[in-house]
Amino acid sequence: MLAQRTRLIATSGTANARAAAATAAAGGKQIIDLTSGEIWAELAPAIRDGAIAAINRGENRYTDTIGLTKLRLKVAQALSSRTEIEWTADEVAITAGAKQALFDAAMVLLNPGDEVIVPSPYWTTFPAQVLLAGGKPVFVDSHDSGFVPRVQAIAAAITPATRAIIINTPNNPTGAVYDRSTLAGIAELAMARDLWVIYDECYAAFTYPPHEHSHILRVAPQIRSRTIVINAFSKQLAMTGWRIGYLAGPAAVIKAAKALQSHTTSNPNVIAQHAVIAHLENSDGTYERALHARLVTARRLGLEILQSLDKVAVPRAEGGFYFYLDLAPLLQGSQSAEHPRDADDVVAALLAAGVAAVSGTAFGDPYGLRVSYGAPIEHLESGLRRLVDVLNAWQ
Ligand code: PLP
């Protein structure tokens, strides 16, 4: 029958939540979908025009396996200015979204049995890819410290088998933004214990004052030779479907990723690559500022509505575009048979009330609930009002 490795993974919890919402909607139910890990927005004009121009020029053929040199150069330049360290094109590989970049990293860095520290709650794909690469995810809970793991807790989880740590800031699902001292502490551990740092900053464009995204390589440039930066245009330019991301790291890692990609996907889509180049060459940041402003408005509105929750605390929502609710005070409150026992029960009740969100079980947290505010504002408003009504009805 199927290979043993198929037992290591299930379809991602977030994809399942999206599918459940779509099934309910197809059955004729009006569903407000707040599950999505993307911003519902018009495409950036330079992306659209760049793609059309590339089609009209007849750009049909394979590119270099890890992307057009021009694009890799542009990414290297942007990284150089953000990290204040020089990057070159041979330290960058363009991938089919950040997901492939992370998969490349796991496949080229991990030996069977290697342990990888994953702060939890975690984005559902991190442990799945570690397992696929033959490694073992080791979770470090971050609930008690505002969803930013304590450096001592990470240190305590390190064993001789630990090979890497995955950091995701701003965080999916929790919305936490790691502070500089935590990043410095993690960097120190990486140096002392000889670890790789896989630094996923896909949501870097979206933080809300007073929180700021700190690049770990600006905080600790000394870990550059052991850091793999993961990023994508997916979220920052609201172009998730186009599938352009990248990893950046030591040239030897990129060379190995290139060999891997040459036998898996080859290059990311050529038109999408040209579209991103056109955007990087022609845009003046207006689109990005508008996208950010839209999220600021959505976040403010959402937090206002969530103030009405009786038993559940208003989420911190420091970065990204997710409200992450800690349902523990609600779930642990009652013994009655109708009372939900975990976040899956809450998600089912919400779906019955016409609003879809993602259960924390997808993120290793049976008491968490992720609600995306990347949805259109009018959906967000009515969806959150329904959510508050459902949660407040449980005593
Ligand atoms: N990393 C994190 C933390 C994410 O949340 C996501 C998508 O949700 C990705 C990576 C993958 O992004 P992409 O769509 O570029 O593959």
Side-chain angles (χ1 to χ4, degrees):
M1 283 287 287
L2 301 179
Q4 285 176 0
R5 96 172 55 80
T6 59
R7 289 185 218 139
L8 293 173
I9 44 160
T11 303
S12 104
T14 45
N16 284 341
R18 252 197 329 271
T23 307
K29 199 164 170 54
Q30 286 274 346
I31 299 289
I32 299 170
D33 186 355
L34 304 182
T35 63
S36 76
E38 56 194 347
I39 308 166
W40 299 36
E42 296 283 320
L43 197 56
I47 294 285
R48 187 194 53 222
D49 296 345
I52 292 169
I55 291 168
N56 287 338
R57 283 198 308 274
E59 303 279 5
N60 303 334
R61 301 184 37 216
Y62 291 129
T63 70
D64 187 289
T65 300
I66 52 171
L68 292 158
T69 307
K70 196 170 185 183
L71 181 52
R72 289 161 56 209
L73 209 50
K74 292 251 166 237
V75 168
Q77 281 162 355
L79 258 181
S80 302
S81 81
R82 292 182 50 230
T83 60
E84 295 181 340
I85 301 174
E86 270 315 296
W87 291 82
T88 58
D90 64 354
E91 295 170 305
V92 174
I94 309 297
T95 54
K99 211 173 246 188
Q100 184 179 26
L102 285 159
F103 189 63
D104 283 0
M107 290 297 280
V108 306
L109 297 182
L110 300 182
N111 285 312
D114 281 349
E115 293 179 3
V116 178
I117 307 254
V118 181
S120 80
Y122 48 77
W123 181 50
T124 182
T125 292
F126 293 143
Q129 292 191 343
V130 169
L131 288 167
L132 279 174
K136 181 177 165 218
V138 173
F139 301 113
V140 172
D141 188 54
S142 66
H143 270 93
D144 294 342
S145 43
F147 295 122
V148 175
R150 289 200 174 84
V151 175
Q152 303 92 299
I154 295 173
I158 296 174
T159 74
T162 309
R163 179 112 169 122
I165 173 162
I166 301 179
I167 301 299
N168 169 219
T169 181
N171 188 270
N172 177 10
T174 67
V177 173
Y178 284 39
D179 54 277
R180 292 173 69 86
S181 83
T182 301
L183 294 173
I186 291 169
E188 241 174 71
L189 280 180
M191 293 291 284
R193 307 299 296 268
D194 193 18
L195 308 180
W196 286 102
V197 175
I198 298 172
Y199 189 68
D200 178 334
E201 53 167 356
C202 285
Y203 297 88
F206 309 121
T207 56
Y208 311 100
H211 303 283
E212 275 181 3
H213 177 66
S214 307
H215 205 293
I216 197 166
L217 290 178
R218 259 176 102 158
V219 175
Q222 69 275 21
I223 63 163
R224 189 214 165 134
S225 63
R226 55 178 69 252
T227 300
I228 313 297
V229 177
I230 306 286
N231 207 334
F233 297 94
S234 308
K235 317 276 175 179
Q236 69 189 64
L237 291 177
M239 51 181 295
T240 38
W242 290 65
R243 313 306 302 135
I244 298 291
Y246 58 87
L247 69 160
V253 172
I254 299 305
K255 197 169 161 212
K258 178 171 180 167
L260 177 69
Q261 257 176 234
S262 78
H263 295 296
T264 51
T265 57
S266 297
N267 61 272
N269 180 289
V270 59
I271 299 301
Q273 288 191 62
H274 282 289
V276 170
I277 291 172
H279 181 84
L280 296 177
E281 280 179 341
N282 299 320
S283 70
D284 60 2
T286 306
Y287 179 85
E288 286 89 333
R289 282 191 292 279
L291 205 58
H292 191 272
R294 139 97 186 269
L295 289 181
V296 168
T297 306
R299 175 177 177 272
R300 193 183 309 122
L301 173 79
L303 289 176
E304 251 168 54
I305 297 171
L306 293 173
Q307 299 277 356
S308 315
L309 285 167
D310 288 338
K311 286 195 169 171
V312 175
V314 175
R316 300 156 72 110
E318 299 166 353
F321 43 84
Y322 305 112
F323 296 127
Y324 194 67
L325 304 183
D326 180 5
L327 303 177
L330 178 79
L331 294 169
Q332 289 161 351
S334 162
Q335 303 300 323
S336 99
E338 303 87 66
H339 203 77
R341 281 158 300 123
D342 61 15
D344 287 349
D345 288 350
V346 172
V347 162
L350 287 172
L351 204 54
V355 50
V358 183
S359 166
T361 52
F363 315 116
D365 176 11
Y367 297 137
L369 183 73
R370 191 190 82 176
V371 182
S372 168
Y373 53 95
I377 302 254
E378 59 285 7
H379 292 196
L380 179 69
E381 179 163 9
S382 47
L384 286 180
R385 290 196 194 286
R386 271 190 217 179
L387 178 142
V388 168
D389 288 346
V390 170
L391 298 196
N392 283 353
W394 281 307
Q395 288 310 317

